[in-house]
Amino acid sequence: VQLQASGGGLVQAGGSLRLSCAASGGTFSNSVMGWFRQAPGKEREFVASISGYGTSTHYGDSVKGRFTISRDNAKNRLYLQMNSLKPEDTAVYYCAADTSPGTVGYDYWGQGTQVTVSS
C-alpha cells in the first residue's frame, strides 16, 4: 500500500484547507484510514479516522467541530476538510492506513504534507 498526501499550504487563521490522500495497492475499502499530525518538538497527534465504508468517524478533541474526514472508495481517496484553522493546527499532516483493523494498528503511512496557519 502506498499513500500520497497532498493539499497542504499556508493559510491565515480562520481559513480552510482540504487535504487529500491518494492510496494505491491493497483493497482501499478494507482499510480504516486516519489522519495524524506532528508539530515541531511535539509528539504525533491523532486527528481523525474513518471506517472502511465511511460509516464511522472519530476525531481528536482539538479538531472536533472544525475538521471533517471523508473518503471516496471509488477513487481510492481520503480527505480531510479543515475549517476555522488556528495557528496551533500548524503541523505536518500524515495519512495512514490500518489494513487489518483490530490487529496491529496503522501499518502504512504517507509522506506528510505541511500545513502552516498564520495568525
Side-chain angles (χ1 to χ4, degrees):
V1 176
Q2 293 184 328
L3 303 173
Q4 180 77 34
S6 62
L10 174 63
V11 63
Q12 288 188 331
S16 298
L17 278 176
R18 188 193 195 202
L19 304 184
S20 179
C21 177
S24 60
T27 303
F28 185 67
S29 59
N30 286 350
S31 298
V32 170
M33 299 296 297
W35 287 99
F36 294 79
R37 68 186 183 186
Q38 188 165 21
K42 295 187 177 181
E43 294 187 352
R44 187 173 61 198
E45 177 187 12
F46 168 76
V47 175
S49 66
I50 187 168
S51 60
Y53 288 94
T55 55
S56 176
T57 58
H58 295 89
Y59 295 91
D61 288 341
S62 61
V63 306
K64 282 181 182 176
R66 300 187 298 122
F67 291 9
T68 302
I69 189 171
S70 62
R71 66 191 296 161
D72 185 337
N73 287 347
K75 296 181 179 179
N76 284 2
R77 289 267 181 169
L78 173 73
Y79 303 100
L80 184 69
Q81 178 66 44
M82 306 186 294
N83 297 329
S84 302
L85 283 162
K86 304 175 181 180
E88 51 264 44
D89 294 319
T90 295
V92 177
Y93 284 71
Y94 299 89
C95 56
D98 177 356
T99 59
S100 299
T103 59
V104 297
Y106 291 93
D107 46 350
Y108 292 93
W109 294 80
Q111 87 292 354
T113 185
Q114 176 72 47
V115 172
T116 303
V117 184
S118 63
S119 57

